[in-house]
């Protein structure tokens, strides 16, 4: 046991307490809080954020960390304690590299940028957004420059922030393969827009009954309502205080049954990850999911690999029919399976189908690469965006609101974040491939027995929280690092069958 680590604990506990309050306020503001609360509550949030920051970023913690990084102290630490120290050290270094006055100016810019983006999107006015975007890019380049190691490319610094160990080299290979194999499939499918009908999903589905169905679906995949809750919000999300308080949300549309169903399976997948983190680390800095990509792999594993498979619906579809006997009267499980896998190139990432989803991410990735390699003018971005949509998906936005302005991430300075969305899907497919070699996954699904699948993920991924990073989790679980081939194989196979290619 390390006495120095014991001294660090009260600091960690205090920081956790502030974080808990912030998570709760955040959850509340997205679900229950009245619309006009924001400006007033924000003042308290500001103070709490400051305290949360100061509880960790202070000279005492800095000294303890320096000591804990010595060889002598490292030897006394357990696996989890080492991971906590490493995590904390990274946070410290990242923040220390940026001069405080620049950090503060950047925070002010962020606060200003969000409403500008919102207005630009609403009024379809990219010119309004461009100057702010240019400023944000300049800051991102500057901050990445502070962290840049010798020989490291600027955009790799940004990628590493969100997905440790992932570089342009890995992503170029991933997206290159994806493009080569799937652009032809997408173009073939465009020729058969009527092969699959989605009429059965477009009837009128009572929202109160959808809510009951959503709860049933969450329970079906194993979401534990003794340690979790489900609320309603404009955009579904998952958050957690620890592994005994995990919160998911859902949203409902009367004429889009699949939206609520797949949102609850998706968020349920995120929720199961957090519920599965082991008790001894849940209240520490490594107590949440490993990374954004790893988290997304779990939600997409449930949503797509399981939830959009034929076997998943075999024991389930009759039960869904009991919720909506009239609307689903005469619909077969086969028709339902095909409807929920309908694919067509579209303009909006968040509404994309499983096949075309990663292309939206790839386009964003290619543009971000151009920005950080320094060979593009911000005012030219909408034209580049539209040209890429035409090339890869065969569709062109009619305006920038449904084009380059659709996502808020850049206005929050989140460059290097998007690839994790596509990585999540590919990691899910890699895990799915491996799991099927280990156990009869499809047989379990047909029997409505999801426990062995859940247990596999808990055992290999969830319990470790952020103590292991993506590449290590994949290596330890599947015997190899990230390999995009399984994802490409999975999509090609699935959509060739569905669309009789
Ligand atoms: Zn997600």
């Amino acid at each position: 046991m390390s006495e120095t680590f014991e001294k660090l604990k009260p600091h960690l506990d205090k920081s956790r307490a502030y974080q808990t309050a912030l998570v709760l306020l955040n959850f509340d503001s997205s679900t229950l809080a009245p619309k006009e609360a924001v400006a007033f509550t924000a003042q308290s949030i500001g103070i709490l954020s400051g305290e949360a920051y100061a509880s960790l970023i202070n000279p005492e913690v800095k000294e303890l960390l320096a000591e804990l990084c010595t060889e002598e102290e490292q030897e006394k630490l357990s696996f989890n304690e080492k991971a906590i120290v490493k995590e904390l050290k990274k946070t410290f270094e990242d923040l220390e590299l940026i001069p405080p006055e620049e950090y503060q100016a950047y925070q002010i810019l962020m606060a200003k940028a969000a409403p500008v983006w919102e207005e630009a999107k609403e009024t379809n006015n990219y010119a309004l957004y461009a100057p702010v975007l240019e400023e944000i890019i300049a800051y991102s380049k500057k901050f990445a420059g502070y962290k840049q190691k010798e020989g490291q490319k600027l955009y790799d610094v940004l990628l590493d922030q969100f997905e440790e160990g992932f570089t342009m080299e890995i992503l170029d290979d991933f997206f290159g393969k994806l493009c080569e194999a799937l652009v032809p499939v997408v173009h073939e499918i465009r020729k058969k827009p009527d092969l699959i009908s989605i009429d059965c999903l477009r009837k009128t589905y009572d929202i109160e009954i959808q809510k009951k169905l959503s709860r049933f679906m969450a329970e079906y995949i194993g979401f534990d309502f003794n340690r979790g809750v489900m609320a309603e919000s404009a955009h579904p999300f998952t958050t957690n205080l620890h592994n005994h308080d995990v919160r998911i949300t859902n949203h409902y549309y009367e004429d889009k049954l699949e939206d609520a169903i797949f949102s609850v399976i998706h968020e349920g997948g995120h929720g199961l990850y957090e519920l599965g983190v082991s008790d001894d680390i849940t209240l520490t800095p490594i107590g949440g999911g490993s990374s954004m990509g790893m988290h997304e792999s779990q939600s997409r594993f449930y949503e797509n690999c399981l939830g959009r498979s034929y076997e998943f619906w075999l024991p389930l579809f009759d039960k869904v029919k009991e919720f909506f006997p009239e609307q689903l009267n005469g619909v077969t499980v086969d028709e339902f399976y095909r409807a929920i896998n309908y694919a067509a190139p579209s303009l909006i990432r968040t509404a994309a189908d499983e096949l075309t989803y990663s292309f939206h991410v790839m386009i964003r990735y290619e543009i971000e690469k151009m920005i950080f390699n320094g060979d593009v003018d911000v005012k030219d971005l909408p034209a580049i965006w539209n040209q890429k949509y035409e090339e890869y998906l065969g569709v062109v936005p009619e305006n920038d609101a449904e084009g380059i302005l659709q996502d808020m991430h850049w206005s929050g300075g989140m460059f290097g974040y998007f690839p994790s969305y596509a990585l999540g899907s590919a990691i899910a497919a890699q895990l799915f491939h491996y799991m099927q070699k280990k156990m009869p996954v499809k047989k379990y699904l047909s029997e409505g027995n999801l426990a062995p699948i859940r247990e596999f993920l808990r055992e290999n991924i969830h319990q470790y929280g952020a103590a292991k990073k993506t590449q290590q989790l994949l290596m330890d679980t599947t015997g190899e690092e990230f390999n995009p081939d399984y994802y490409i194989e999975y999509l090609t196979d699935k959509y060739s069958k569905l669309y009789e290619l």
Side-chain angles (χ1 to χ4, degrees):
M1 202 181 70
S2 156
E3 269 176 43
T4 319
F5 191 82
E6 290 302 309
K7 284 186 203 157
L8 183 68
K9 271 186 178 166
H11 297 278
L12 297 178
D13 290 343
K14 197 171 173 188
S15 150
R16 162 62 56 172
Y18 285 120
Q19 288 301 339
T20 301
L22 287 165
V23 167
L24 267 179
L25 281 168
N26 194 3
F27 178 79
D28 183 68
S29 72
S30 305
T31 51
L32 273 180
K35 210 163 62 185
E36 288 191 14
V38 184
F40 289 75
T41 310
Q43 299 188 20
S44 303
I45 291 178
I47 292 169
L48 283 171
S49 304
E51 291 295 322
Y53 179 89
S55 66
L56 274 188
I57 309 299
N58 62 54
E60 214 178 316
V61 173
K62 189 178 178 180
E63 210 174 292
L64 289 170
L65 269 179
E67 212 174 306
L68 285 164
C69 288
T70 59
E71 214 172 299
E72 196 191 335
E73 282 294 324
Q74 282 281 307
E75 273 172 22
K76 296 183 201 161
L77 300 179
S78 69
F79 175 78
N80 285 334
E81 288 167 349
K82 273 186 197 153
I84 291 167
V85 169
K86 197 177 160 210
E87 190 79 23
L88 214 56
K89 191 168 169 263
K90 192 167 185 270
T91 314
F92 232 94
E93 284 173 352
D94 281 358
L95 285 165
E96 271 199 334
L97 286 169
I98 300 169
E101 62 283 359
E102 282 182 19
Y103 187 74
Q104 208 178 354
Y106 179 67
Q107 292 303 324
I108 293 167
L109 174 64
M110 290 297 98
K112 200 177 76 181
V116 173
W117 164 76
E118 233 176 275
E119 197 190 331
K121 189 184 170 197
E122 254 165 47
T123 55
N124 182 32
N125 183 357
Y126 179 78
L128 180 74
Y129 181 50
V132 185
L133 181 61
E134 203 158 354
E135 261 187 276
I136 298 174
I137 290 171
Y139 268 111
S140 297
K141 283 185 176 171
K142 202 171 187 185
F143 291 172
Y146 291 143
K147 295 178 193 170
Q148 199 172 18
K149 302 203 176 74
E150 213 185 307
Q152 194 183 21
K153 300 214 172 74
L154 210 54
Y155 190 50
D156 278 339
V157 178
L158 296 171
L159 291 172
D160 195 67
Q161 273 179 0
F162 296 108
E163 216 56 59
E164 197 181 299
F166 281 79
T167 58
M168 279 187 274
E169 201 186 332
I170 296 175
L171 290 169
D172 284 346
D173 173 64
F174 169 38
F175 286 121
K177 284 177 172 168
L178 196 77
C179 230
E180 199 187 338
L182 296 176
V183 167
V185 177
V186 172
H187 287 299
E188 280 306 305
I189 283 176
R190 292 191 71 219
K191 294 179 194 157
K192 301 180 174 185
D194 301 323
L195 190 72
I196 289 176
S197 160
I198 53 166
D199 289 352
C200 68
L201 303 170
R202 294 285 168 273
K203 294 174 183 165
T204 306
Y205 288 94
D206 182 87
I207 283 175
E208 287 312 308
I209 303 178
Q210 284 197 49
K211 286 183 188 171
K212 289 190 185 123
L213 173 62
S214 293
R215 189 180 165 100
F216 167 80
M217 292 297 308
E219 277 173 339
Y220 185 80
I221 64 167
F223 187 78
D224 179 357
F225 278 97
N226 290 315
R227 296 193 286 144
V229 292
M230 179 159 68
E232 197 176 337
S233 64
H235 303 287
F237 68 96
T238 301
T239 190
N240 66 305
L241 304 186
H242 40 67
N243 68 354
H244 280 65
D245 188 342
V246 178
R247 300 168 181 227
I248 58 176
T249 72
N250 202 2
H251 63 176
Y252 308 92
Y253 300 101
E254 246 185 5
D255 60 344
K256 279 187 199 147
L257 178 63
E258 79 281 15
D259 211 300
I261 289 180
F262 288 100
S263 291
V264 75
I265 303 178
H266 181 99
E267 299 308 328
H270 281 304
L272 288 171
Y273 193 171
E274 296 296 344
L275 287 168
V277 171
S278 96
D279 280 350
D280 43 316
I281 56 169
T282 189
L283 291 170
T284 75
I286 54 165
S290 177
S291 69
M292 150 60 184
M294 209 60 218
H295 233 301
E296 207 55 19
S297 80
Q298 298 307 290
S299 55
R300 284 177 197 275
F301 181 86
Y302 273 93
E303 180 192 349
N304 294 332
C305 301
L306 303 186
R308 288 187 212 270
S309 75
Y310 183 66
E311 291 78 8
F312 182 82
W313 291 100
L314 280 177
L316 199 55
F317 188 56
D318 279 344
K319 290 189 182 126
V320 176
K321 272 183 156 176
E322 285 172 21
F323 286 88
F324 294 109
E326 217 175 284
Q327 293 88 334
L328 294 171
N329 182 29
V331 179
T332 65
V333 64
D334 204 64
E335 284 163 346
F336 183 74
Y337 164 71
R338 291 162 67 78
I340 59 173
N341 282 296
Y342 173 81
S346 60
L347 295 168
I348 307 294
R349 177 184 64 86
T350 52
D353 56 72
E354 192 185 354
L355 175 68
T356 56
Y357 183 84
S358 290
F359 285 96
H360 295 263
V361 177
M362 184 181 72
I363 290 169
R364 193 65 84 157
Y365 167 70
E366 287 185 357
I367 295 178
E368 286 190 356
K369 259 198 333 184
M370 293 169 82
I371 293 173
F372 287 91
N373 287 338
D375 50 13
V376 69
D377 199 324
V378 169
K379 72 170 175 6
D380 297 332
L381 293 179
I384 298 172
W385 177 281
N386 294 354
Q387 175 251 318
K388 285 187 183 289
Y389 265 79
E390 165 122 64
E391 182 186 341
Y392 296 128
L393 291 167
V395 290
V396 186
E398 280 189 12
N399 55 57
D400 293 334
E402 57 177 29
I404 195 159
L405 288 171
Q406 64 181 268
D407 280 306
M408 63 164 300
H409 301 58
W410 284 355
S411 70
M414 289 163 87
F415 295 97
Y417 180 87
F418 273 94
S420 295
Y421 285 124
L423 284 174
S425 300
I427 292 168
Q430 184 172 344
L431 290 169
F432 192 45
H433 173 89
Y434 181 77
M435 200 189 272
Q436 289 182 86
K437 287 205 294 193
K438 285 274 154 192
M439 59 167 86
V441 177
K442 292 192 171 166
K443 181 171 165 279
Y444 289 150
L445 290 175
S446 318
E447 292 164 353
N449 177 16
L450 272 66
I453 299 170
R454 202 164 53 243
E455 189 47 33
F456 177 94
L457 294 172
R458 200 196 59 77
E459 186 74 30
N460 287 287
I461 312 278
H462 301 173
Q463 63 158 325
Y464 296 108
K468 289 187 184 182
K469 298 299 173 198
T470 304
Q471 292 286 34
Q472 194 188 345
L473 284 166
L474 283 173
M475 191 61 168
D476 293 351
T477 306
T478 69
E480 59 181 321
E481 290 199 330
F482 176 67
N483 182 346
D485 293 350
Y486 302 112
Y487 180 49
I488 288 155
E489 215 175 271
Y490 161 84
L491 284 177
T492 313
D493 183 55
K494 180 172 179 177
Y495 283 91
S496 301
K497 283 182 188 143
L498 272 162
Y499 277 87
E500 301 162 13
L501 303 178

